Amino acid sequence: AALVESVEKDEPPTIFGHLSVLWRCAFSGDREKVSTLLTSEVMKTCRRDFEYSWDLACVYAKLGDADRALAWLENAVELGFLNHRFLAEIDPVLAPLRGDPRFQTLMARAREKQAELEAGP
């Protein structure tokens, strides 16, 4: 938390800084600050990148907002975050979503997309 606070205070704003602060806010349960930090510009940047989309999925999962978490996770999968085993079994922040049928459907789609990718042309 101290490192994130120093980045937030001393560094020029970057997507990495924003995401770090968002993670800190999620772990402290500060929904208000998450809402403040998620400007249209930050969301636009995150919507284009699967890792940033996964970050936001985790932020929302940690805050208990399954709908938004799943929406961002779906975006991550559509953009190419296909490591379904990591998402479905290992990532501890996503654990609260694992019982949701929408999560299971999304993981099946990620498995299929990964299998297609591995099969090649």
Side-chain angles (χ1 to χ4, degrees), residues 66-68 70 97 99-107:
D67 292 338
R68 286 188 176 133
L70 286 165
L97 302 176
D100 190 311
R102 298 172 296 173
F103 182 83
Q104 296 302 320
T105 299
L106 182 58
M107 291 303 99

Side-chain angles (χ1 to χ4, degrees), residues 31-119:
R31 292 173 184 273
E32 188 175 317
K33 186 143 186 192
V34 167
S35 293
T36 302
L37 289 171
L38 276 176
T39 64
S40 60
E41 182 72 23
V42 171
M43 287 193 288
K44 181 179 175 183
T45 299
C46 291
R47 199 167 279 117
R48 294 186 309 236
D49 184 276
F50 70 81
E51 287 185 46
Y52 300 160
S53 293
W54 166 76
D55 279 311
L56 291 187
C58 289
V59 164
Y60 281 118
K62 190 66 182 165
L63 291 173
D65 188 335
D67 292 338
R68 286 188 176 133
L70 286 165
W72 280 104
L73 195 55
E74 183 170 355
N75 192 66
V77 168
E78 289 305 312
L79 291 176
F81 198 131
L82 304 179
N83 190 341
H84 59 86
R85 184 168 181 266
F86 171 74
L87 298 171
E89 300 173 21
I90 298 169
D91 188 334
V93 181
L94 298 179
L97 302 176
R98 293 193 180 120
D100 190 311
R102 298 172 296 173
F103 182 83
Q104 296 302 320
T105 299
L106 182 58
M107 291 303 99
R109 193 161 69 227
R111 271 191 303 279
E112 290 170 12
K113 288 178 79 136
Q114 184 176 10
E116 290 171 10
L117 183 67
E118 290 173 353

